[in-house]
């Protein structure tokens, strides 16, 4: 955001527009219903100053609340947009939103040498934020859900994929988050994997979407703490537009994106590619782990909780977790 243009409320002029970028899919969808706004993907433009844009959203909120109540669909997104506009119209800023104000052209123009754009040099680059990245990942997930309506809403996070012994590009974890009365699953996209081509990052999203679809249909698609992917997972992945191949260690986990699937999601891939401008370095692991001299076997469930149990006891039969109802299985 160009802070020098937002230090004080500015009176509306006939050709003034307020542009919001970096919005989520839900923000954009709800703004499309508000008079005076034009939306495209993660961008929304209002024909007026920030204060007028704020008032238009507030007026619409008042109408929705009066007719449908505060639990109406999209009302929470309206609140989020209203709060963002309130901050920028009073001289503040919001980390997830970039605001551009375009005013009527004057006969003579003057370059403001003190503006952040003018001061930008090779040694003073624009700061990176994850807002655009997460927004692009959320938009991609929404596009997948549009084509496959059984896939549930999730919380998407970007984190480490190398903090554990088994490196990973992503994971799906059911009922990991709480939102009001609703339990939401979690989809993690590893920061280390963002170095890959956009098609491979999107393949990871579709891979986790296949797990989400299995969870929605109550299909057991993995074993061995989620490492082994069975034939049912391969079938679900194929339903979403992936080709799965069998690996002797992890089953049908490796997937590739079909050409026709890439064509279907071409716009999503283009937007996601623009957001992939940073990646995470792998964890610096410490020295070698200490050798285990006893006869106990380390096991974990899908929660994951961990236990140690004698090998002879483990061989007597399965041990089931009372929380996730999955079987404790040995670490490989």
């Amino acid at each position: 955001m160009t802070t020098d243009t937002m230090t004080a409320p500015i009176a509306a002029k006939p050709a003034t527009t307020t542009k919001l970028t970096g919005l989520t899919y839900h923000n954009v969808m709800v703004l499309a219903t508000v008079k005076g706004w034009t939306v495209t993907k993660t961008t929304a433009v209002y024909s007026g100053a920030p204060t007028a844009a704020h008032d238009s959203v507030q007026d619409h909120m008042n109408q929705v609340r009066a007719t449908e109540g505060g639990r109406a669909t999209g009302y929470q997104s309206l609140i989020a947009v209203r709060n963002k506009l309130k901050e920028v119209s009073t001289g503040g800023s919001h980390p997830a939103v970039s605001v551009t104000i375009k005013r009527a052209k004057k006969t003579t123009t003057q370059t403001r040498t003190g503006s952040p754009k003018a001061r930008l040099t090779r040694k003073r680059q624009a700061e990176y934020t994850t807002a655009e990245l997460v927004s692009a990942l959320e938009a991609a997930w929404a596009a997948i859900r549009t084509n496959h309506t059984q896939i549930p809403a999730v919380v998407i996070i970007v984190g480490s994929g190398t903090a554990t012994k088994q490196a990973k590009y992503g994971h799906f974890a059911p009922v990991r988050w709480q939102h009001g009365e609703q339990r939401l699953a979690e989809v993690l996209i590893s920061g280390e994997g963002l170095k890959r081509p956009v098609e491979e990052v999107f393949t990871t999203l579709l891979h986790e979407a296949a797990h989400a679809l299995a969870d929605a249909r109550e299909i057991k698609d993995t074993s061995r703490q989620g490492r082994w992917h069975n034939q049912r997972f391969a079938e679900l992945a194929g339903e979403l537009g992936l080709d799965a191949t069998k690996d002797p260690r992890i089953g049908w986990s490796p997937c590739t994106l079909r050409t026709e699937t890439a064509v279907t999601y071409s716009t999503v891939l283009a937007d996601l590619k623009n957001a992939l401008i940073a990646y995470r370095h792998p964890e610096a692991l410490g020295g070698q782990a200490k050798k285990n001299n006893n006869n106990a076997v380390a096991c974990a469930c899908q929660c994951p909780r961990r236990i140690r149990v004698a090998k002879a006891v483990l061989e007597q039969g399965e041990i089931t977790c009372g929380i996730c109802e999955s079987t404790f299985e040995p670490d490989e």
Side-chain angles (χ1 to χ4, degrees):
M1 187 184 76
T2 52
T3 53
D4 61 320
T5 63
M6 297 299 297
T7 54
I10 302 171
K13 294 182 180 180
T16 299
T17 58
T18 302
K19 180 180 180 182
L20 300 182
T21 60
L23 297 173
T24 67
Y25 173 80
H26 296 292
N27 291 156
V28 172
M29 292 302 293
V30 76
L31 276 176
T33 65
V34 182
K35 185 178 180 181
W37 287 89
T38 303
V39 300
T40 54
K41 297 180 181 178
T42 59
T43 302
V45 179
Y46 179 78
S47 299
T51 50
H54 170 272
D55 292 342
S56 71
V57 174
Q58 184 64 65
D59 290 344
H60 188 76
M61 285 175 58
N62 295 340
Q63 294 175 11
V64 172
R65 189 172 185 84
T67 56
E68 303 177 52
R71 293 184 177 270
T73 302
Y75 191 77
Q76 293 300 318
S77 292
L78 282 170
I79 292 176
V81 173
R82 187 272 313 273
N83 291 344
K84 294 169 185 176
L85 286 165
K86 184 177 180 181
E87 289 184 24
V88 298
S89 62
T90 56
S93 63
H94 193 284
V97 176
S98 172
V99 180
T100 304
I101 302 175
K102 183 179 179 181
R103 300 185 184 86
K105 292 184 178 180
K106 299 179 181 179
T107 52
T108 57
T109 58
Q110 218 172 13
T111 303
R112 301 183 67 175
T113 57
S115 67
K117 179 178 284 190
R119 294 197 302 268
L120 199 63
T121 66
R122 292 182 63 183
K123 293 184 178 180
R124 185 183 178 88
Q125 299 298 321
E127 293 183 359
Y128 169 77
T129 70
T130 57
E132 184 178 356
L133 170 62
V134 174
S135 179
L137 290 170
E138 288 178 340
W141 188 267
I144 296 170
R145 292 186 66 206
T146 298
N147 292 330
H148 305 278
T149 55
Q150 280 188 283
I151 295 175
V154 299
V155 175
I156 293 182
I157 63 173
V158 178
S160 172
T162 56
T164 58
K165 183 169 62 175
Q166 296 292 332
K168 58 188 177 183
Y169 287 133
H171 76 215
F172 171 81
V175 295
R176 187 63 62 86
W177 289 71
Q178 188 76 35
H179 176 241
E181 299 297 324
Q182 185 181 15
R183 294 291 293 273
L184 295 172
E186 172 184 281
V187 167
L188 174 136
I189 300 299
S190 79
E192 294 88 341
L194 299 177
K195 188 178 181 181
R196 299 174 297 159
V198 63
E199 292 81 8
E200 294 183 23
V201 176
F202 187 66
T203 296
T204 297
L205 267 181
L206 283 174
H207 179 115
E208 305 311 331
H211 287 308
L213 188 57
D215 184 66
R217 295 178 180 175
E218 298 184 351
I219 295 173
K220 183 173 176 58
D221 62 336
T222 64
S223 57
R224 301 181 192 172
Q225 303 161 242
R227 289 191 296 273
W228 179 265
H229 293 56
N230 59 34
Q231 181 65 41
R232 282 170 289 185
F233 171 81
E235 293 169 359
L236 292 170
E239 187 177 330
L240 299 188
L242 298 176
D243 287 324
T245 55
K246 191 174 183 180
D247 181 278
R249 297 178 302 105
I250 54 179
W252 296 89
S253 178
C255 294
T256 54
L257 189 67
R258 294 175 185 161
T259 302
E260 58 269 28
T261 308
V263 173
T264 299
Y265 293 100
S266 57
T267 301
V268 173
L269 289 170
D271 291 341
L272 189 57
K273 183 177 182 180
N274 291 334
L276 297 181
I277 58 175
Y279 62 89
R280 190 178 190 274
H281 290 287
E283 299 284 346
L285 300 178
Q288 289 185 334
K290 295 181 179 179
K291 291 184 179 180
N292 181 19
N293 294 323
N294 59 34
N295 195 34
V297 178
C299 301
C301 63
Q302 291 185 16
C303 285
R305 293 194 299 167
R306 295 186 177 276
I307 61 173
R308 299 187 69 83
V309 61
K311 185 176 180 181
V313 173
L314 186 63
E315 290 174 349
Q316 292 177 9
E318 293 184 345
I319 302 174
T320 304
C321 173
I323 296 178
C324 66
E325 299 182 355
S326 66
T327 302
F328 281 96
E329 299 191 21
D331 283 334
E332 291 183 347

